Amino acid sequence: MKAANPFLEKTGVQIGQKLVIPAKGFASKSGSSLDKKAKDKGTEKYVYHDVVAKETKFSIAKQYGITIEDLEKRNPDIVSNLPVGYRLTIKGTAPKSENTTSVANAAKPAEGKKSAETSKKVTTYMEYQVKPKETFYSLGRTFHLTQEELTELNPSLSEGVKEGMVLKVPSGYLAPVPIIVKEEAKQTEKPTENKGGIQILEKVKSADPEVVELSKKRGQNERKKLVLLLPFNIAKIQNDTVGFANRVKTDKFLNMTLDFYSGAMMAIDSAKTLKLPIDISIYDSQETKSTSNIPSLITQNKLQDADAIIGPFYQTNAETTANTLRLHNVPVISPLSKDSANPIDNLYQSIPTNDVVRNTVFDYMRSKNGNIVAVVDKKKESVINYIKQNQKGVAFASLTETGGLDVASLKSLLMPNKMNYVVMETANTAMVKYTIKALIEAQKTCQIQLVILEPNSTLDTDEIYFENLVKLKLMYPSVSRESDESRVLIFEKEYRLKNKVNPNTYATRGFDVTFDTMMRLVQGKTYQETADLMTTEQVDNKFQYYKKEDGGHANKGVYILYYDSDLTLKVAN
């Protein structure tokens, strides 16, 4: 049975599994799921595999001893995507009764014959030239491939990633143009033929404010009003579409705004489908770091009666808006700022601050009764001060006179009878290497997990072997996660269909914050009450608000992520 179903070695028998049952005469010790006698007669046994969560093409190919290229040749629908539940043909020819589900159907209920046929016409591969400073990690994030999968497709990568290399990659993942929003809107000007941000510009010009009525089935008194304050800064570029086209290519802040807006519009579409009784108004907040259009909007009485406001983007402007509307008790949700907010009762910080993120991972390690050891570079004074002031009892590994790691000191702090969490904070490549080497050696006698408190670009370089990070189950806190839940896959697919690109961090955040806010408003409670009572989880983000001691609300929705031995990123329990 194990020879015919290699995954049983790892998982054992699970309810609902589909197993290959060997025919009489099956050679159980041959390492193959084919009957040798049948092979001699020119027949081949059919073997299939149903994709489960977190599996990759690399892990499946490795499981059956075949290459990714062979797997894709037998299953052309998976070249650009590997949906959970998809049935892969591993060997033989699938019987007619075993119809393989199309990629489109795996991501979403069938949309008719035309959609299914269209989904099979996905381009297979394309050439991609490596840009400066790109690494295995950044390439993996772009194309959704592991380092091993990239190397399998491009053997030249065995010598490392080099600028200018031309790689073979799946064609479905690149975002070749800026976000395109095609949402219908009443326009006072002739629609432009240009794509990208200009199309959004035309819409915003003609829809300021834009009011979207989601349902007329409920009484007027039950309807809620949501306001979005987004910094398009249209006034600066009015009647200058050529200048705007250039800005779309170069202005990161504008692109961030357009991405957030495109995600918010996806949320509004979802609310329409659900027939939520909400009216949405979108205003250009005309922001700089110190100024905005908010005073003018308040003077015009456009914000005082809102049930919730998302924005502005800049922290100072969000605080000014909340302060001004405090007497009206209007919740103001700061969507993007990571700064610690001033104590304002009606201000909601939707992104956890750095200290909240750090506290969460330390709380997790203590909940597991772990032994916490810190390896911190002298240059990381803020981290040293944070740990000493807020995380009592954490032992620091000694450093040498030159600032390097004292390996003997580190090993002496490890305990054989506990899980040892080693918090490493340094950008020094040599210190990273020595720390990892020492921990790999110490794993022979101790349980060890490597922890970082914030993104570390040094770990993305080719000098640090990803396999060692996996051995140490690298763990870190994150305000977002990657999920393959069906609702997440549907969102990503619908976003690609609408905008012709994959959703980036800002687009997903635009969806999450907007949809979360709308759903809170229709619970029969005020936004404030839902913030005190409910923790919610959307596509990438978790919203777990709490009242700060000095006033206002902050979010402590943080994920603890780690690399598991199967090379997948998982959420720690």
Side-chain angles (χ1 to χ4, degrees):
M1 287 291 292
K2 288 180 179 177
N5 304 275
F7 55 87
L8 291 177
E9 294 281 4
K10 182 185 291 186
T11 66
V13 178
Q14 304 289 332
I15 294 173
Q17 273 181 333
K18 294 178 181 177
L19 305 177
V20 173
I21 307 301
K24 187 176 180 180
F26 178 79
S28 62
K29 295 182 180 180
S30 66
S32 169
S33 60
L34 302 178
D35 184 340
K36 285 186 177 180
K37 292 181 180 179
K39 241 185 169 183
D40 293 339
K41 294 177 182 179
T43 59
E44 188 177 3
K45 187 171 180 60
Y46 169 55
V47 178
Y48 62 77
H49 177 95
D50 288 333
V51 179
V52 299
K54 304 297 183 183
E55 284 189 312
T56 65
K57 284 184 273 189
F58 174 77
S59 65
I60 295 171
K62 184 177 180 181
Q63 179 176 321
Y64 291 99
I66 60 178
T67 66
I68 294 175
E69 190 170 359
D70 289 338
L71 187 66
E72 291 178 337
K73 280 182 180 178
R74 286 191 175 274
N75 305 274
D77 285 347
I78 69 164
V79 169
S80 63
N81 189 19
L82 185 66
V84 173
Y86 186 85
R87 175 162 292 182
L88 297 169
T89 299
I90 304 298
K91 294 182 180 179
T93 303
K96 290 182 180 180
S97 60
E98 299 285 2
N99 290 323
T100 302
T101 308
S102 72
V103 174
N105 292 340
K108 187 185 176 185
E111 297 176 327
K113 185 176 180 181
K114 186 175 181 181
S115 297
E117 289 175 353
T118 302
S119 70
K120 294 181 181 180
K121 296 178 182 178
V122 178
T123 304
T124 52
Y125 289 105
M126 66 176 289
E127 291 185 346
Y128 175 79
Q129 188 169 23
V130 176
K131 298 180 178 62
K133 297 184 179 180
E134 285 194 303
T135 64
F136 274 118
Y137 178 77
S138 61
L139 290 170
R141 294 281 290 180
T142 300
F143 300 108
H144 298 187
L145 297 175
T146 65
Q147 179 174 333
E148 289 76 12
E149 289 171 327
L150 283 165
T151 305
E152 180 96 24
L153 290 171
N154 302 275
S156 60
L157 285 174
S158 59
E159 299 178 1
V161 178
K162 298 175 183 177
E163 180 183 343
M165 293 176 78
V166 178
L167 305 179
K168 174 184 177 183
V169 296
S171 61
Y173 292 118
L174 270 184
V177 294
I179 290 297
I180 303 170
V181 174
K182 297 180 179 177
E183 180 70 17
E184 296 297 327
K186 294 179 181 179
Q187 297 188 348
T188 57
E189 304 175 35
K190 183 179 179 180
T192 177
E193 294 297 324
N194 295 322
K195 296 182 178 181
I198 298 177
Q199 193 166 7
I200 295 176
L201 168 66
E202 294 301 324
K203 180 181 177 180
V204 175
K205 278 183 182 178
S206 61
D208 186 12
E210 177 180 352
V211 179
V212 182
E213 207 171 77
L214 300 176
S215 171
K216 293 184 178 180
K217 291 188 176 180
R218 301 193 185 188
Q220 185 65 32
N221 291 335
E222 296 180 23
R223 301 192 67 80
K224 301 294 182 181
K225 181 179 178 181
L226 173 63
V227 172
L228 273 67
L229 300 175
L230 306 181
F232 295 107
N233 291 305
I234 298 301
K236 294 181 180 179
I237 46 176
Q238 194 81 26
N239 302 318
D240 183 13
T241 56
V242 175
F244 184 80
N246 290 330
R247 283 188 63 197
V248 167
K249 296 178 182 178
T250 60
D251 190 328
K252 292 182 180 180
F253 187 70
L254 176 60
N255 273 280
M256 178 181 68
T257 303
L258 300 179
D259 291 339
F260 188 94
Y261 172 78
S262 66
M265 292 308 297
M266 292 289 295
I268 292 170
D269 284 346
S270 298
K272 289 179 183 177
T273 302
L274 295 172
K275 301 188 184 304
L276 301 185
I278 301 177
D279 298 325
I280 291 112
S281 300
I282 303 175
Y283 297 96
D284 182 358
S285 55
Q286 298 179 30
E287 287 182 65
T288 66
K289 288 185 179 180
S290 56
T291 63
S292 74
N293 190 39
I294 310 304
S296 174
L297 294 173
I298 292 175
T299 300
Q300 298 171 37
N301 296 315
K302 293 183 176 181
L303 306 183
Q304 291 89 326
D305 60 345
D307 293 287
I309 294 174
I310 297 174
F313 279 10
Y314 283 114
Q315 181 68 19
T316 53
N317 294 331
E319 291 182 1
T320 299
T321 304
N323 254 327
T324 307
L325 296 172
R326 179 186 286 181
L327 294 179
H328 298 276
N329 203 28
V330 178
V332 175
I333 299 106
S334 177
L336 294 176
S337 174
K338 298 178 182 178
D339 297 338
S340 296
N342 286 315
I344 306 170
D345 293 339
N346 58 327
L347 181 62
Y348 294 78
Q349 198 78 6
S350 68
I351 293 187
T353 62
N354 288 336
D355 278 357
V356 167
V357 172
R358 291 169 174 175
N359 290 343
T360 302
V361 74
F362 277 98
D363 290 344
Y364 172 83
M365 292 186 289
R366 287 200 170 90
S367 73
K368 300 298 182 181
N369 194 32
N371 173 44
I372 307 173
V373 178
V375 177
V376 186
D377 197 323
K378 288 180 179 179
K379 296 179 180 179
K380 296 276 188 177
E381 291 183 14
S382 62
V383 176
I384 295 172
N385 292 334
Y386 162 78
I387 294 176
K388 288 183 176 179
Q389 293 171 14
N390 301 282
Q391 305 298 337
K392 306 298 182 185
V394 175
F396 283 84
S398 300
L399 304 180
T400 64
E401 292 182 359
T402 58
L405 172 67
D406 185 332
V407 174
S409 169
L410 171 59
K411 290 184 176 180
S412 70
L413 296 173
L414 302 176
M415 297 182 179
N417 58 343
K418 278 190 174 186
M419 171 58 80
N420 295 275
Y421 295 105
V422 179
V423 179
M424 180 183 69
E425 286 299 317
T426 177
N428 185 300
T429 303
M431 182 179 283
V432 170
K433 281 184 169 182
Y434 284 129
T435 303
I436 290 175
K437 182 179 179 182
L439 296 181
I440 293 289
E441 291 175 356
Q443 275 188 322
K444 296 174 183 177
T445 56
C446 298
Q447 286 183 290
I448 297 172
Q449 188 159 15
L450 181 63
V451 182
I452 57 176
L453 301 179
E454 56 193 13
N456 188 338
S457 59
T458 305
L459 299 183
D460 297 340
T461 62
D462 296 338
E463 294 183 68
I464 308 302
Y465 293 110
F466 179 68
E467 291 79 3
N468 287 336
L469 300 180
V470 172
K471 287 179 183 178
L472 294 169
K473 293 196 172 183
L474 176 67
M475 183 169 74
Y476 61 93
S478 175
V479 299
S480 62
R481 49 116 196 218
E482 291 186 9
S483 171
D484 53 13
E485 294 176 9
S486 60
R487 64 191 180 96
V488 175
L489 296 177
I490 289 172
F491 162 76
E492 292 175 346
K493 180 187 176 185
E494 290 300 314
Y495 188 94
R496 282 193 296 269
L497 288 173
K498 185 180 181 68
N499 299 299
K500 313 305 179 191
V501 293
N502 287 320
N504 63 12
T505 301
Y506 295 112
T508 306
R509 183 137 195 97
F511 176 88
D512 283 0
V513 173
T514 305
F515 190 73
D516 184 76
T517 302
M518 290 191 294
M519 292 304 294
R520 289 179 182 276
L521 291 178
V522 297
Q523 300 303 313
K525 298 177 174 62
T526 65
Y527 185 90
Q528 294 92 322
E529 289 171 330
T530 67
D532 293 337
L533 296 172
M534 299 177 182
T535 296
T536 58
E537 194 171 63
Q538 304 303 340
V539 173
D540 271 359
N541 299 273
K542 184 191 296 183
F543 300 94
Q544 187 176 2
Y545 291 108
Y546 68 98
K547 286 183 178 179
K548 299 192 299 180
E549 292 181 2
D550 57 356
H553 289 73
N555 182 17
K556 59 179 179 181
V558 177
Y559 294 100
I560 307 297
L561 305 177
Y562 72 97
Y563 282 99
D564 204 354
S565 54
D566 60 0
L567 306 182
T568 61
L569 196 60
K570 294 182 179 176
V571 177
N573 296 320

